[in-house]
């Protein structure tokens, strides 16, 4: 059994707790939700892993949003197969609520198409819980942090942490023109925040994506007071 002096443990805990909750993965699988992926390009540092932005879109004209229910797309090798139906529904509902709560600050949420209405459709394509015990231990014990860091360097997702993948598209609700599309994956870091909740990393990814959508929309409208979310 590895024993560490109390002061070393405290230093490690404080240092780890200050880390970001989630981080970008290095790659993501395409689920089929978007249908056509040919328009996507590799995202820049502050963007999703794969992204498309219609250069002709007039973002300032949109004042309202239709926010469709979040769906789940489960591939043959998806970890979602092992998730209960109740947890799947909870994840879909949670992501929708996060998006709704972020976007209602700047847009009117409606159900009827119109010339000033854009439609947002989102799908959860992967979700994997963390291992709370191993995540906690590996966050504190230096030897295990090194081992899990190797996985994080290769995949962008630290060992024993959770991860999630989503796909989203934004269209003009009237003429169905594609305005934007994105594919992304995020995973937990070795932060101790929420480490005892196996779904914490997934939930934090949803929170981050929702706030990122609001921030990105703010930039596309050409506003100056846009606040980038913390990971």
């Amino acid at each position: 059994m590895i024993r560490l002096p109390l002061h070393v443990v405290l230093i490690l805990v404080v240092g780890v707790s200050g880390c970001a909750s989630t981080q970008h993965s290095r790659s993501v699988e395409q689920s089929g939700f978007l249908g056509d992926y040919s328009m996507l390009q590799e995202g820049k540092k502050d963007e999703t892993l794969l992204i498309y932005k219609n250069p002709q879109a007039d973002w300032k004209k949109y004042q309202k949003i239709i926010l469709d229910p979040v769906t789940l797309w489960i591939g043959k090798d998806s970890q979602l197969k092992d998730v209960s139906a109740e947890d799947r529904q909870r994840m879909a509902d949670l992501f929708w609520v996060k998006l709704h709560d972020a976007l209602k600050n700047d847009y009117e949420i409606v159900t009827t198409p119109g010339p000033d209405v854009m439609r947002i459709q989102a799908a959860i394509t992967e979700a994997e819980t963390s291992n709370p015990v191993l995540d906690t231990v590996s966050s504190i014990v230096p030897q295990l942090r090194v081992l899990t860091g190797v996985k994080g360097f290769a995949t962008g997702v630290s060992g024993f942490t959770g991860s999630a993948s989503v796909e989203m598209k934004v269209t003009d609700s009237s003429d169905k023109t594609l305005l934007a599309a994105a594919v992304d994956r995020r995973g937990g870091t070795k932060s101790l925040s929420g480490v005892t909740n196996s779904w914490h990393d997934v939930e934090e990814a949803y929170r981050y994506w929702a706030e990122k959508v609001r921030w990105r929309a703010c930039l596309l409208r050409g506003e100056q007071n846009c606040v980038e979310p913390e990971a």
Side-chain angles (χ1 to χ4, degrees):
M1 179 177 179
I2 300 174
R3 296 183 180 276
L4 298 174
L6 179 59
H7 71 281
V8 174
V9 172
L10 291 174
I11 291 174
L12 288 169
V13 169
V14 172
V16 172
S17 297
C19 297
S21 296
T22 61
Q23 60 188 345
H24 244 148
S25 172
R26 297 186 185 280
S27 63
V28 63
E29 297 292 330
Q30 299 172 3
S31 72
F33 170 74
L34 292 180
D36 181 11
Y37 293 81
S38 62
M39 71 292 191
L40 296 175
Q41 297 182 342
E42 184 176 340
K44 299 177 182 178
K45 184 178 180 181
D46 64 346
E47 296 177 329
T48 53
L49 291 172
L50 298 173
I51 192 169
Y52 166 77
K53 291 176 290 186
N54 188 330
Q56 305 302 320
D58 179 8
W59 295 96
K60 292 183 178 180
K61 80 172 186 177
Y62 296 103
Q63 306 295 319
K64 305 172 185 177
I65 288 177
I66 295 175
L67 183 59
D68 283 3
V70 172
T71 58
L72 283 89
W73 283 60
I74 305 176
K76 64 178 182 178
D77 298 322
S78 174
Q79 298 289 335
L80 283 169
K81 287 184 176 181
D82 300 324
V83 177
S84 69
E86 292 78 9
D87 277 338
R88 291 178 192 172
Q89 189 61 55
R90 186 181 69 84
M91 286 190 296
D93 292 344
L94 177 64
F95 191 25
W96 187 91
V97 168
K98 294 292 186 185
L99 287 167
H100 177 274
D101 288 352
L103 293 170
K104 71 178 183 181
N105 294 294
D106 303 315
Y107 297 94
E108 180 183 353
I109 308 300
V110 299
T111 57
T112 304
D116 62 344
V117 182
M118 58 183 173
R119 169 177 254 118
I120 295 181
Q121 297 168 282
I124 295 170
T125 60
E126 187 61 284
E128 181 179 7
T129 61
S130 65
N131 184 317
V133 174
L134 292 177
D135 191 12
T136 303
V137 173
S138 63
S139 295
I140 298 176
V141 179
Q143 291 89 338
L144 291 180
R145 280 181 60 79
V146 172
L147 292 176
T148 57
V150 172
K151 177 187 176 184
F153 180 78
T155 67
V157 178
S158 299
F160 310 126
T161 62
S163 63
S165 301
V166 295
E167 297 186 13
M168 300 182 66
K169 60 182 175 181
V170 183
T171 56
D172 183 293
S173 67
S174 295
D175 62 19
K176 316 301 182 186
T177 299
L178 181 63
L179 304 175
V183 180
D184 206 23
R185 182 187 181 207
R186 296 189 69 82
T189 64
K190 301 314 296 180
S191 168
L192 289 179
S193 175
V195 76
T196 58
N197 174 10
S198 62
W199 286 108
H200 176 75
D201 296 331
V202 173
E203 293 168 358
E204 276 296 291
Y206 295 162
R207 186 272 309 165
Y208 176 80
W209 278 319
E211 294 178 4
K212 195 70 173 283
V213 169
R214 182 192 181 193
W215 173 68
R216 180 62 62 186
C218 179
L219 293 178
L220 290 170
R221 293 193 305 270
E223 299 185 12
Q224 303 297 319
N225 60 340
C226 309
V227 180
E228 184 174 6
E230 297 183 359

